[in-house]
Amino acid sequence: MMVKAFASSADLTEKTATLEVLADGVYALTAEGDPNVGAVEGEDFLVAFEARATPAAAHDWLSLLRQHTDKPVKYLVLSHYHAVRVLGAAAFDAEVIIAHDNTRRLIAERGEQDWASEFGRMPRLFKQPETIPGLTWPDVVFSDRVSIDLGGDRGELTLQHCGRGHTAGDIVAWLPQQRIMFAGDLVEAQAALYTGDAFHREWSTTTLDRVKAFGAETLIGGRGGVTCGRTAVNQAIEQTRSFLNTMLDEVGAVHARSGTLREAFEATHKALAPQFGAWPIFEHCLPFDVSRVWDELDGIDWPRIWTAERDREVWDELQGE
Ligand SMILES: [Zn+2]
């Protein structure tokens, strides 16, 4: 049996980033399964969605965006607290950084550990890590919904918390006029789910129901390509739900018969691999995902903190020989 390299530590091939103009003043940057980012133009300002892992990585995105607009970034929206989404914030020089209040809580509680954990798991995403000035702190937090008036006839951008899901503090960004949604890691298109900090039962039911109820015509998930058309958007949402439900079923069955975590991992891997095995970060995520489902079934509501050490322990227990 081949020994699997830890998480994505052996994934060193640079991905091609593609900037797409989804509507007048609405931009998405996708990168073959690496984390997506976006931006929306107001009359005289920009709203950026997600910050990438380092200021150097964010700068690469901003230089592509600057071929289309030179408006200043007034708002930087963080969909959730994960290091690869927030630590590049300094590059945007944003007036206001906005996030959910649970995101601020998670940064305070585990931002340092998450930084070390994600750096170890996905070193390639941390381009010039020395450019990170420290943790990213939101200036404004909210618990349910806020709207940003984009000015002129551009309509508004709504930031909405749909319940707990990928983390306790995910938010989506919604353009009602263009029916475009930036869903963060709540929905993935053609990429495996990371659920190590998730609330699987809530995410797979009420949270995804609320995401779906927007009726988006275009959806940018956390990773993978842009999804276009209502049917394809609903398929991406249902595929995400099916990934979660399969994990809950498989881990649940082993948990119910008092089996081991390793057995739960093997059963889940077997069930998911035919459909999802070739997708980006599948092998990387699954041990952490199964571990968190197991905890949730044990009644641990608030996810345990991932540290670089705990990452290795769980990896060796589940992906080791
Ligand atoms: Zn995430």
Side-chain angles (χ1 to χ4, degrees), residues 80 82 85 166 185 194:
H80 62 287
H82 282 147
R85 305 274 170 187
H166 172 72
D185 274 332
Y194 174 65

Side-chain angles (χ1 to χ4, degrees), residues 56-122:
H59 186 263
D60 290 346
W61 148 233
L62 284 169
S63 40
L64 289 170
L65 185 62
R66 288 306 177 211
Q67 295 172 8
H68 296 267
T69 169
D70 59 4
K71 294 173 185 173
V73 178
K74 185 169 183 184
Y75 302 101
L76 171 62
V77 177
L78 308 175
S79 74
H80 62 287
Y81 89 99
H82 282 147
V84 299
R85 305 274 170 187
V86 305
L87 292 179
F92 294 81
D93 209 13
E95 246 175 75
V96 183
I97 299 177
I98 308 178
H100 189 264
D101 53 14
N102 278 335
T103 290
R104 179 156 68 190
R105 175 183 170 187
L106 287 161
I107 290 168
E109 181 198 47
R110 61 182 70 195
E112 291 283 353
Q113 292 96 324
D114 179 69
W115 179 352
S117 160
E118 295 199 46
F119 183 77
R121 293 177 184 186
M122 298 170 278

Side-chain angles (χ1 to χ4, degrees), residues 78-277:
L78 308 175
S79 74
H80 62 287
Y81 89 99
H82 282 147
V84 299
R85 305 274 170 187
V86 305
L87 292 179
F92 294 81
D93 209 13
E95 246 175 75
V96 183
I97 299 177
I98 308 178
H100 189 264
D101 53 14
N102 278 335
T103 290
R104 179 156 68 190
R105 175 183 170 187
L106 287 161
I107 290 168
E109 181 198 47
R110 61 182 70 195
E112 291 283 353
Q113 292 96 324
D114 179 69
W115 179 352
S117 160
E118 295 199 46
F119 183 77
R121 293 177 184 186
M122 298 170 278
R124 180 175 53 76
L125 296 182
F126 287 79
K127 183 179 182 183
Q128 298 170 30
E130 69 282 1
T131 58
I132 302 171
L135 291 175
T136 297
W137 294 98
D139 304 301
V140 171
V141 295
F142 66 98
S143 58
D144 182 43
R145 169 194 285 245
V146 294
S147 282
I148 296 169
D149 184 352
L150 296 170
D153 58 1
R154 292 175 182 272
E156 60 178 31
L157 177 71
T158 300
L159 307 179
Q160 175 80 51
H161 177 61
C162 296
R164 304 189 300 183
H166 172 72
T167 69
D170 305 281
I171 55 177
V172 300
W174 167 239
L175 288 159
Q177 200 162 296
Q178 298 88 342
R179 307 201 72 75
I180 296 173
M181 174 180 281
F182 292 89
D185 274 332
L186 283 176
V187 180
E188 307 293 358
Q190 311 281 314
L193 303 189
Y194 174 65
T195 73
D197 293 317
F199 298 80
H200 294 79
R201 286 174 291 201
E202 199 170 324
W203 186 0
S204 62
T205 54
T206 50
T207 300
L208 281 180
D209 287 347
R210 289 183 73 188
V211 171
K212 196 174 183 181
F214 281 91
E217 296 283 350
T218 305
L219 184 142
I220 303 91
R223 292 171 179 259
V226 175
T227 304
C228 299
R230 183 77 66 91
T231 308
V233 167
N234 286 341
Q235 273 169 1
I237 294 168
E238 290 311 320
Q239 207 160 46
T240 299
R241 197 195 309 267
S242 137
F243 194 108
L244 294 168
N245 284 337
T246 302
M247 286 202 294
L248 282 166
D249 289 348
E250 297 295 331
V251 179
V254 177
H255 190 269
R257 64 168 171 79
S258 303
T260 66
L261 183 63
R262 171 99 185 198
E263 288 165 351
F265 173 75
E266 283 167 358
T268 308
H269 191 285
K270 193 174 165 200
L272 288 172
Q275 193 183 355
F276 303 104

